[in-house]
């Protein structure tokens, strides 16, 4: 199964990817996570990407396309995969089709989460992630039992560097600029599904399961 998750920052792509992994055991490829790891390790890709990410801009297409091609080449995804945060531009979408065609695969479903700017800002401002295990929380919607401490592993909960109000608004503007063209690439296909990203986590997941099953 190959799934593509589209949507604004904070639309719930990462949250639903985790639910999908748990239920279906498929691999997640998150370009955001891969890029943040590269920045942390100061790899060549990380050094090139950092400035774009800090300011809320998109990293150049060629860098992210190479990341995806490398993941697929490594044979990461025998049971299929979830693309979380890729593609983000029409050029990335077209390139993805080519990469998949080469290995005789195709996308099964494109899930597009619709969400308003106000919701995005509220969600992102409250997001916290465990430094050790990566588990995600929201200080209002899914808080940890103890402030700042992960329920799963007692790790420290951190806020992402690009989760400031100013950067979130910029990321939302960037998303809006690219999203019409990208959705248009998939919209006419029966694989394309619009979801109400404003609903609660469980409701959204139930909707996804209905589509996949
Ligand atoms: P990336 O890491 O992909 O960030 P993003 O797209 O901005 O998405 P987020 O991770 O912020 O949101 P999400 O939809 O996963 O929301 P989540 O589930 O966590 O990218 C970061 C940067 O990397 C980009 O700005 C860019 O520079 C670069 N980049 C990455 N990919 C790229 C690409 N393909 N091309 C170019 N550049 C690229 O939810 C958010 C919060 O809300 C959480 O706290 C969660 O608990 C809560 N929540 C989730 N769902 C619900 C719900 N239904 N109800 C209530 N709360 C909810």
């Amino acid at each position: 199964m190959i799934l593509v998750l589209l949507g604004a920052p904070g639309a719930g792509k990462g949250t639903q990817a985790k639910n999908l992994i748990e239920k279906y055991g498929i691999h997640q490829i998150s370009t955001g996570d891969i890029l943040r790891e590269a920045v942390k390790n100061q790899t060549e890709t990380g050094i090139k990407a950092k400035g774009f990410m800090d300011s809320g801009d998109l990293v150049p297409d060629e860098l992210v396309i190479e990341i995806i091609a490398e993941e697929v080449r490594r044979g990461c995804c025998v049971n299929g995969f979830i693309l979380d945060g890729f593609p983000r531009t029409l050029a990335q979408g077209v390139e993805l089709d080519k990469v998949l065609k080469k290995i005789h695969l195709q996308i099964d479903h494109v899930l597009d989460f619709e969400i308003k700017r106000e919701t995005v800002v509220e969600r992102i401002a409250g997001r916290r992630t465990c430094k050790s295990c990566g588990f995600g929380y929201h200080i209002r919607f899914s808080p940890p039992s103890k402030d700042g401490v992960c329920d799963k592993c007692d790790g420290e909960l951190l806020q992402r560097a690009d989760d400031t109000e100013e950067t979130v608004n910029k990321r939302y503007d960037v998303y809006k600029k690219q999203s019409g063209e990208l959705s248009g690439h998939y919209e006419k296909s029966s694989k394309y599904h619009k979801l109400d990203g404003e609903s609660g986590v469980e409701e959204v997941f139930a909707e996804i399961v209905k589509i996949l099953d």
Side-chain angles (χ1 to χ4, degrees):
M1 181 153 61
I2 299 181
L3 303 178
V4 170
L5 308 188
L6 304 180
K13 305 180 295 294
T15 303
Q16 298 302 340
K18 297 283 178 298
N19 285 340
L20 286 162
I21 294 167
E22 214 166 277
K23 184 166 170 72
Y24 297 100
I26 43 178
H27 183 82
Q28 174 193 21
I29 304 178
S30 157
T31 38
D33 287 349
I34 294 171
L35 287 166
R36 273 185 291 280
E37 194 59 25
V39 169
K40 195 170 101 191
N41 296 328
Q42 298 192 331
T43 64
E44 201 183 318
T45 302
I47 291 164
K48 285 184 191 156
K50 187 175 185 313
F52 296 101
M53 295 175 77
D54 286 348
S55 64
D57 274 317
L58 290 183
V59 169
D61 283 341
E62 56 277 16
L63 271 188
V64 273
I65 288 166
E66 183 45 35
I67 287 174
I68 295 296
E70 175 58 23
E71 284 282 311
V72 174
R73 268 200 302 271
R74 278 198 306 129
C76 61
C77 326
V78 183
N79 293 329
F81 50 91
I82 306 161
L83 288 169
D84 164 8
F86 182 94
R88 224 114 147 178
T89 62
L90 181 60
Q92 291 179 18
V94 170
E95 210 48 49
L96 174 63
D97 294 343
K98 287 188 200 158
V99 169
L100 293 178
K101 199 169 173 198
K102 261 193 210 155
I103 50 174
H104 311 291
L105 291 177
Q106 55 175 333
I107 295 166
D108 293 289
H109 296 285
V110 178
L111 307 175
D112 194 351
F113 298 73
E114 288 194 300
I115 193 158
K116 293 192 293 246
R117 181 190 292 265
E118 306 84 83
T119 315
V120 160
V121 173
E122 187 183 23
R123 284 196 190 166
I124 296 272
R127 172 165 56 188
R128 300 291 181 275
T129 310
C130 176
K131 188 180 170 185
S132 311
C133 71
F135 195 79
Y137 296 87
H138 190 280
I139 51 172
R140 191 165 143 222
F141 305 126
S142 50
S145 315
K146 198 171 153 200
D147 255 6
V149 181
C150 179
D151 290 348
K152 308 265 171 202
C153 73
D154 284 339
E156 186 189 355
L157 301 187
L158 299 178
Q159 189 167 21
R160 252 168 60 179
D162 60 345
D163 277 356
T164 63
E165 194 171 328
E166 189 192 346
T167 315
V168 170
N169 274 302
K170 169 83 181 288
R171 280 157 61 200
Y172 190 82
D173 290 339
V174 169
Y175 159 77
K176 274 286 174 196
K177 218 166 140 192
Q178 303 286 348
S179 64
E181 214 179 31
L182 181 59
S183 306
H185 183 61
Y186 297 112
E187 239 159 23
K188 288 190 192 97
S189 150
S190 58
K191 298 170 184 175
Y192 178 81
H193 313 273
K194 262 194 177 141
L195 295 169
D196 178 11
E198 301 279 338
S199 309
V201 174
E202 276 79 29
E203 282 96 332
V204 177
F205 190 56
E207 200 52 40
I208 295 174
V209 171
K210 218 171 10 167
I211 292 167
L212 304 192
D213 288 351

